[in-house]
Amino acid sequence: KQWYQRRVAITAGIQEKAECCGIDGPGFWTNAKFAPQVPASCCKNPAADEELCDKDQAYQFGCLNSTEMLVKDALSIIIIVIVVIVLFQLICMAMAWCSRGDYESVDA
């Protein structure tokens, strides 16, 4: 029972953050025990104590596409950060190579 509650919480969290409903839209919940309604996490403006809402108030996009877009956006940001770090390191290496002559002529 505890694993089920965790799964429900994870699903609700994804639907709220990604602003989506079910895998492919509100129709995903058609065979659920609470049909024709959908979980409140699918809805745009659910009341705080509401567990279910009507399909016409739900997000119409499925979570599969929404989460794919979220992952792509996150990967794009990660790639940009990595490129910036690599460029910074290359600039530092070039500056060190250019300034090496200043240190070779110093006698101790």
Side-chain angles (χ1 to χ4, degrees):
K1 185 171 180 166
Q2 187 178 21
W3 66 268
Y4 176 76
Q5 290 173 340
R6 273 200 322 243
R7 210 167 78 183
V8 168
I10 290 170
T11 302
I14 290 171
Q15 290 180 149
E16 288 173 2
K17 297 289 183 195
E19 297 182 350
C20 59
C21 186
I23 291 175
D24 54 0
F28 174 79
W29 298 106
T30 301
N31 295 328
K33 64 182 177 182
F34 44 78
Q37 294 182 311
V38 295
S41 59
C42 279
C43 299
K44 298 172 185 164
N45 297 312
D49 60 344
E50 194 174 38
E51 291 184 20
L52 301 172
C53 68
D54 294 327
K55 283 185 182 179
D56 60 342
Q57 297 174 345
Y59 297 112
Q60 297 302 309
F61 298 102
C63 293
L64 183 62
N65 291 336
S66 295
T67 51
E68 282 179 357
M69 289 178 8
L70 287 173
V71 169
K72 286 179 183 178
D73 290 344
L75 284 176
S76 297
I77 292 170
I78 290 170
I79 289 170
I80 290 170
V81 168
I82 289 172
V83 167
V84 167
I85 290 171
V86 167
L87 287 175
F88 178 73
Q89 289 182 341
L90 288 173
I91 290 169
C92 289
M93 288 172 54
M95 290 173 63
W97 185 80
C98 289
S99 66
R100 70 177 169 31
D102 296 339
Y103 297 105
E104 288 178 356
S105 62
V106 174
D107 292 329

